[in-house]
């Protein structure tokens, strides 16, 4: 017999799963933007172009560029 408490636990698990999937998607999109930024920098694209193409801030693009230069 499924109790009300069991149903609440199941709903909480499902909600947690959905939140986890959403967070994973956000992280994946961010990682994708960073990889594209790295590639654009390697190709010598201007900062303004890279910012517009990826939607990342100037600070973030410069941070990625700085890390690339250290590699």
């Amino acid at each position: 017999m499924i109790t009300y408490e069991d149903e609440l636990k199941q709903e909480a698990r499902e909600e947690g799963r959905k939140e986890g999937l959403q967070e994973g998607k956000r992280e994946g999109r961010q990682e994708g933007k960073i990889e594209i930024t790295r590639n654009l920098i390697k190709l010598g694209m201007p900062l303004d172009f890279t910012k517009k193409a990826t939607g990342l801030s100037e600070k973030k693009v410069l941070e990625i560029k700085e890390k690339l230069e250290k590699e």
Side-chain angles (χ1 to χ4, degrees):
M1 173 180 222
I2 297 176
T3 65
Y4 179 70
E5 190 174 282
D6 291 335
E7 287 180 18
L8 288 177
K9 287 179 184 178
Q10 181 62 27
E11 287 177 14
R13 279 191 293 271
E14 288 176 17
E15 184 63 30
R17 184 180 153 288
K18 287 178 186 177
E19 288 176 12
L21 287 172
Q22 289 174 345
E23 179 64 24
K25 287 180 183 180
R26 280 191 295 273
E27 288 177 9
R29 283 192 296 270
Q30 185 69 11
E31 288 175 13
K33 287 180 179 185
I34 290 170
E35 186 61 31
I36 291 167
T37 300
R38 291 171 55 88
N39 291 337
L40 292 172
I41 291 168
K42 287 178 185 177
L43 290 170
M45 300 307 280
L47 176 65
D48 284 342
F49 178 85
T50 303
K51 287 179 2 185
K52 288 178 186 174
T54 62
L56 295 177
S57 68
E58 183 172 331
K59 180 181 177 182
K60 187 68 176 174
V61 172
L62 291 173
E63 178 184 305
I64 294 167
K65 183 177 181 182
E66 196 173 295
K67 285 181 183 178
L68 268 176
E69 291 170 350
K70 291 179 181 178
E71 290 179 0

